[in-house]
Amino acid sequence: MNIGLLLYIPYRELENRIMAAVTAAGYDVTLAQARVLQRIGPDGTRLTELAEAAQVTKQTAGFLVDQLEKAGYVERVPDPTDGRARLVRITEKAQGALPVAGEEMARIEAEWEQHIGKRRMGQLREALEKLVEITDPYR
């Protein structure tokens, strides 16, 4: 298998498990909505930035944000740096899902560490963090 698949397959499993945990906890969010939600910064993010970070069109991002707003997971607020612009901000309702996702992430990492060993897990994390330096334009 190529490196892309080797990175993607574990990520897909991680994403599916986190989504299942969040859904089981009562949060009705689709995977597409979650991908937008996870890109919203702590002080809010402009829709155009969300679209770019989620690698979707502005129209798609707008549609997903509309759905999330109707469900009470996000709100649109004025951008304090530009009176004409608006920011998308996560609500308290959405904040409640973060511990659920974090707990599932911790379980997954513990399982992976048990499977490949503590040293290899540390090396994997270190290697991936190094790759982020040259692959993540949003960091």
Side-chain angles (χ1 to χ4, degrees):
M1 278 192 267
N2 68 56
I3 193 74
L5 276 173
L6 291 171
L7 291 167
Y8 174 71
I9 292 169
Y11 174 75
R12 182 186 59 196
E13 174 66 11
L14 177 146
E15 189 175 59
N16 288 340
R17 284 185 54 187
I18 289 174
M19 286 301 300
V22 167
T23 301
Y27 296 93
D28 186 23
V29 178
T30 68
L31 184 55
Q33 291 168 341
R35 287 177 177 163
V36 168
L37 268 173
Q38 68 185 352
R39 287 165 173 83
I40 299 173
D43 298 320
T45 304
R46 289 186 183 182
L47 185 63
T48 53
E49 295 169 349
L50 281 177
E52 184 181 331
Q55 295 185 335
V56 297
T57 66
K58 186 177 174 186
Q59 291 78 13
T60 298
F63 175 75
L64 293 169
V65 168
D66 287 344
Q67 290 178 324
L68 289 165
E69 189 173 31
K70 285 177 190 168
Y73 293 115
V74 301
E75 61 184 352
R76 288 181 168 106
V77 297
D79 184 338
T81 65
D82 181 351
R84 300 166 297 157
R86 306 208 27 97
L87 295 174
V88 178
R89 206 168 50 189
I90 293 176
T91 63
E92 283 187 38
K93 181 178 180 180
Q95 290 284 347
L98 297 178
V100 175
E103 289 168 11
E104 186 62 23
M105 176 65 81
R107 276 190 288 279
I108 293 165
E109 286 190 21
E111 287 174 19
W112 290 5
E113 184 175 295
Q114 184 178 10
H115 184 72
I116 67 172
K118 187 173 184 143
R119 184 179 61 79
R120 280 186 171 161
M121 190 67 170
Q123 290 171 332
L124 175 61
R125 177 175 295 283
E126 186 179 306
L128 292 172
E129 287 173 352
K130 191 72 177 161
L131 283 174
V132 164
E133 295 173 8
I134 63 169
T135 60
D136 185 2
Y138 307 104
R139 65 179 187 99

